Amino acid sequence: MSGRMVVAGAVTSADGRLLLAQRRYPPEVAGLWELPGGKVEEGEDPAQALRRELREELDVDVEVGTRLERSVELAHDLTLVALWARIVGGEPRAVEHSRLRWVTVDELDEMAASGAIVPADTVWLPELSLRISGG
Ligand code: CDP
């Protein structure tokens, strides 16, 4: 792993859905759906960064769990990782995204098949499908 880290949240609900957020920018990925998150700042660990990002982007408090196995080397020396999370305070709303959506595993598969998921995040599809279909 090199450079700076970007952390995304695999936020799951008690009824086995996954929270996806639709990006507004930049043009290459605008309209596509991602696991919400952002860059880890100096002095933060990934879990702290994710809690901060999800407060800023979704207006919720989350409890952060373990890391998903896969990571992605993005451009600009950024490494993208994901952490499991669940909401412990608030109702998510799209502060910085255009929309939010809680998806089932079937909906996730359909969105992936139609190219609606941001490219980097597709590495997590197998892990996400396993976890959310398992309830
Ligand atoms: O909010 P901040 O500017 O810190 O981060 P961001 O712009 O949301 O994400 C930084 C980089 O990670 C961008 O290149 C995003 O496209 C990428 N990213 C991603 O590929 N998948 C995610 N789930 C989150 C971010």
Side-chain angles (χ1 to χ4, degrees), residues 4-9 21 23 25-26 28-29 33-41 52-53 56-57 72 74-76 78-82 96-97 118-122 124:
R4 199 160 164 200
M5 205 181 293
V6 180
V7 64
R23 285 199 70 109
Y25 70 93
E28 310 85 79
V29 290
W33 296 79
E34 68 174 3
L35 302 183
K39 296 188 192 90
V40 178
E41 302 291 347
R52 175 184 51 74
E53 286 285 349
E56 293 170 2
E57 295 185 354
V72 186
L74 299 170
H76 312 296
L78 292 173
T79 300
L80 176 66
V81 302
E96 293 176 7
H97 291 86
V118 303
D121 293 30
T122 59
W124 295 310

